[in-house]
Amino acid sequence: MIGDRMTVPAALETLLAGNRRFTAGTPEHPNQDAVRRTEVAPGQSPFAVLFGCSDSRLAAEIIFDRGLGDLFVVRTAGHVMGPEVLGSIEYGVSVLGSPLVVVLGHDSCGAVAAARAAVQDGTTASGYVRDVIERVTPSVLAARAAGHTEDAEFIDTHIQHTVDLLIDRSRVVAAAVTAGTAAVVGLSYRLADGTARLVTARGLDDQEGPEIPVRL
């Protein structure tokens, strides 16, 4: 809904409700018609910033059953962050007023697998793909240090690391979380069944208030 700001809990529930519809095979495809196109043409007020992996199987508006103007989407391989990503997320929070930032990872992530191979076998890639692998490597090292061995554990660690890194590096996002005007959550998506599972959250504690009606 243009012009209204959701509460943090309402934004998260709206996102997860869309994912439940998607996994159940009953998507409603909200905000995808000509009326919505006209409505958002003058400006946008997305209820969530979604920072996810570039994987082609991870189209945000599809897996969360949303439409035009709902999500401010930023995607990179392995959801690795650079200045452009941080600036984009900060724009969504500070300029567009999005109350929720989502870091979206997924199983069978090629970037995490490549980083694990680099750590275990010394194999690496050429060009800027190497840079992606190097940025994921700290998450792999942390997971190994914690004794993790399963793919899901490495994915969860990388999602957690990205959430922590985002708040650590962005004063804008950190200030919004501290002020209670925004939250950052990490979700893990399963490619086979389409479910999005909450891995970590920063700023959800003590969040309450009435939900703002939206077009579901």
Side-chain angles (χ1 to χ4, degrees), residues 85-125:
V85 169
L86 288 166
S88 297
I89 295 173
E90 289 183 352
Y91 181 83
V93 172
S94 64
V95 178
L96 301 180
S98 300
L100 181 68
V101 179
V102 177
V103 174
L104 180 64
H106 66 95
D107 58 350
S108 301
C109 179
V112 173
R116 291 182 68 178
V119 170
Q120 294 170 3
D121 309 322
T123 58
T124 188

Side-chain angles (χ1 to χ4, degrees), residues 6 18 21 37 62 65 87 96 105 113 126-127 185 190 202 208:
M6 284 192 198
R21 294 194 300 271
R37 184 180 68 233
I62 294 176
D65 192 29
L96 301 180
S126 59
V185 302
R190 284 176 53 88
R202 301 282 294 274
E208 58 184 9

Side-chain angles (χ1 to χ4, degrees), residues 126-143:
S126 59
Y128 286 103
V129 176
R130 177 182 294 181
D131 184 66
V132 172
I133 294 172
E134 289 176 350
R135 293 182 186 220
V136 178
T137 298
S139 299
V140 171
L141 293 175

Side-chain angles (χ1 to χ4, degrees), residues 28-214:
E28 298 176 356
H29 306 293
N31 299 334
Q32 297 182 19
D33 56 12
V35 172
R36 180 64 168 182
R37 184 180 68 233
T38 301
E39 187 179 48
V40 298
Q44 58 176 320
S45 182
F47 69 83
V49 177
L50 196 142
F51 174 38
C53 182
S54 296
D55 193 291
S56 61
R57 300 162 291 182
L58 218 65
E61 285 86 356
I62 294 176
I63 67 175
F64 291 110
D65 192 29
R66 298 311 310 173
L68 300 173
D70 289 334
L71 305 176
F72 189 73
V73 181
V74 184
R75 299 173 68 183
T76 65
H79 51 82
V80 299
M81 282 188 295
E84 298 85 354
V85 169
L86 288 166
S88 297
I89 295 173
E90 289 183 352
Y91 181 83
V93 172
S94 64
V95 178
L96 301 180
S98 300
L100 181 68
V101 179
V102 177
V103 174
L104 180 64
H106 66 95
D107 58 350
S108 301
C109 179
V112 173
R116 291 182 68 178
V119 170
Q120 294 170 3
D121 309 322
T123 58
T124 188
S126 59
Y128 286 103
V129 176
R130 177 182 294 181
D131 184 66
V132 172
I133 294 172
E134 289 176 350
R135 293 182 186 220
V136 178
T137 298
S139 299
V140 171
L141 293 175
R144 284 167 58 94
H148 297 319
T149 59
E150 300 298 323
D151 177 67
E153 295 172 323
F154 278 82
I155 298 298
D156 285 1
T157 300
H158 184 44
I159 293 170
Q160 174 75 66
H161 182 261
T162 303
V163 169
D164 292 345
L165 189 63
L166 171 59
I167 294 176
D168 181 62
R169 293 185 63 185
S170 173
R171 293 182 179 179
V172 171
V173 174
V177 170
T178 299
T181 59
V184 181
V185 302
L187 301 179
S188 181
Y189 178 77
R190 284 176 53 88
L191 296 171
D193 61 24
T195 57
R197 172 177 55 85
L198 183 65
V199 173
T200 186
R202 301 282 294 274
L204 279 183
D205 294 343
D206 301 323
Q207 288 282 354
E208 58 184 9
E211 295 186 358
I212 296 174
V214 293

